[in-house]
């Protein structure tokens, strides 16, 4: 069966690449940069407001009691990944700049994705309600855990990271408050969002592209591409591959040996092995100094596409196996 579509970059990935190229050729400066930055803040706030309005409380409550699964996903997201990032330092440091390695560490501190974790779990015939709860909990907890981990793992180095309390207060104001407001208004606007999912997708992708453009503009103005050799990009791809493979293998092995059923194992793998671009880029903008953000998010952008391609292939294969098994039982 042909698998080519699974490895071809999607339109959003191509848009990300185009945004980086555009920012490299025409970075915003001066008053234009101030205007773009203000627009970016509004777009990010709107993004988290709409995510809050979209999240179904009923679906979350349906999976909330599965505490063993949720603890395992959180442990993979906020313990396994950071330990892997630190353990890879001897391999990574000789080939990448200090700021790029900090980007790898930042990637390791981020929460799991929400949309793609649920989508892949559904395709693979996993426990979707548990995936909704696990991914959503990871995203909310990450608002507080990610800056704390960044403070522990990236201490006063060239990243420009600020104090965790200052960062958490900024994240609460810029991300959590709009999210909670969206949740409170879900009874009013939730049904409309359910019927118009393209609105959320447009805001989701548009806000990320704005932040990427702003971040890379600032980084290019500071000479980013003069300090990132081709060998560093290749090394980042290798490191991302190691991180993803280790997370997939570990979550699969632990889920099986702790005797979770097959549906729960699928949920653990997809929720525990991925990192959120939608949360990561806005958080990077808040946590790190402006001149460092472009290099900091580069490992995350590469990891994002890699996890989508690999997990899409796994989800389709596992879903086909489950369908085949059901057909055999019926016969």
């Amino acid at each position: 069966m042909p698998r080519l579509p699974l490895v071809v970059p999607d339109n959003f990935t191509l848009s990300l690449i185009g945004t980086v190229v555009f920012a490299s050729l025409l970075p915003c400066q001066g008053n234009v940069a101030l205007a773009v930055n203000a627009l970016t803040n509004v777009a990010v706030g709107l993004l988290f407001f709409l995510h809050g309005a979209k999240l179904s409380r009923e679906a979350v409550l349906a999976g909330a009691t599965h505490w063993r699964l949720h603890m395992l996903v959180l442990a993979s997201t906020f313990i396994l990944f950071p330990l892997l990032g630190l353990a890879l330092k001897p391999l990574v440091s000789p080939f990448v700049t200090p700021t790029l390695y900090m980007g790898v560490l930042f990637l390791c501190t981020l929460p799991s994705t929400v949309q793609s974790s649920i989508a892949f779990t559904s395709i693979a015939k996993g426990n979707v309600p548990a995936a909704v709860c696990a991914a959503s909990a990871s995203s909310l907890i990450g608002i507080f855990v990610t800056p704390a981990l960044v403070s522990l793992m990236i201490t006063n180095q060239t990243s420009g990271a600020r104090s965790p309390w200052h960062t958490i207060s900024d994240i609460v104001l810029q991300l959590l408050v709009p999210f909670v407001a969206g949740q409170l208004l879900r009874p009013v606007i939730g049904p409309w969002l359910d019927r118009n999912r393209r609105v959320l997708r447009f805001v989701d992708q548009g806000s990320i592209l704005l932040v990427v453009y702003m971040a890379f503009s600032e980084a290019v103005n500071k000479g980013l591409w003069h300090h990132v050799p081709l060998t560093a990009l290749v090394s980042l791809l290798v490191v991302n591959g190691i991180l993803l493979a280790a997370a997939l293998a570990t979550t699969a092995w632990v889920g099986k040996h702790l005797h979770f059923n097959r549906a729960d194992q699928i949920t653990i793998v997809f929720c525990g092995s991925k990192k959120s671009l939608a949360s990561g880029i806005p958080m990077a903008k808040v946590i790190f100094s402006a001149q460092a953000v472009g290099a900091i998010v580069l490992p995350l952008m590469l990891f994002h596409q890699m996890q989508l391609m690999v997990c899409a292939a796994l989800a389709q294969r596992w879903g086909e196996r489950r369908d085949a098994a059901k057909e055999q039982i019926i016969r």
Side-chain angles (χ1 to χ4, degrees), residues 199-321:
V199 174
L200 181 58
R201 184 178 181 183
F202 175 79
V203 175
D204 194 341
Q205 297 184 355
S207 62
I208 291 174
L209 292 176
L210 273 174
V211 175
V212 168
Y213 176 67
M214 187 67 203
F216 274 89
S217 291
E218 184 68 29
V220 168
N221 290 333
K222 298 294 182 180
L224 171 66
W225 298 122
H226 296 291
H227 305 293
V228 180
L230 180 60
T231 54
L233 294 177
V234 174
S235 298
L236 284 179
L237 289 173
V238 173
V239 170
N240 282 344
I242 294 173
L243 284 173
L244 182 58
L248 289 170
T250 302
T251 51
W253 186 87
V254 173
K256 180 178 180 180
H257 284 77
L258 289 182
H259 306 294
F260 285 93
N261 62 42
R262 183 58 181 166
D264 288 345
Q265 290 177 36
I266 291 170
T267 303
I268 291 167
V269 168
F270 287 128
C271 292
S273 64
K274 293 205 294 304
K275 293 294 182 176
S276 175
L277 184 74
S279 296
I281 290 183
M283 282 186 179
K285 182 177 181 295
V286 176
I287 294 174
F288 298 99
S289 60
Q291 63 268 25
V293 173
I296 290 288
V297 301
L298 190 55
L300 174 60
M301 291 171 61
L302 295 174
F303 188 85
H304 169 76
Q305 181 59 29
M306 186 176 293
Q307 71 183 6
L308 288 182
M309 291 190 298
V310 172
C311 291
L314 286 176
Q316 182 170 322
R317 180 176 299 179
W318 289 349
E320 291 171 351
R321 287 180 180 176

Side-chain angles (χ1 to χ4, degrees), residues 75-87:
S76 175
T77 303
F78 297 118
I79 298 177
L80 173 63
F81 265 100
L83 290 177
L84 288 172
L86 293 172

Side-chain angles (χ1 to χ4, degrees), residues 38-118:
L39 180 61
T40 299
N41 290 334
V42 172
V44 169
L46 179 60
L47 167 65
F48 277 79
F49 172 80
L50 293 177
H51 274 298
K54 173 191 163 188
L55 185 62
S56 169
R57 300 175 193 175
E58 293 77 11
V60 172
L61 291 175
T65 57
H66 209 338
W67 64 269
R68 289 176 67 241
L69 182 149
H70 304 320
M71 292 300 294
L72 185 53
V73 169
L74 292 175
S76 175
T77 303
F78 297 118
I79 298 177
L80 173 63
F81 265 100
L83 290 177
L84 288 172
L86 293 172
L88 286 172
K89 183 176 182 179
L91 175 64
V92 181
S93 296
F95 302 102
V96 301
T97 65
T99 306
L100 286 176
Y101 174 61
M102 290 173 196
V104 173
L105 293 180
F106 174 64
L107 157 68
C108 292
T109 69
L110 289 173
S112 179
T113 62
V114 177
Q115 293 98 326
S116 60
S117 292
I118 297 168

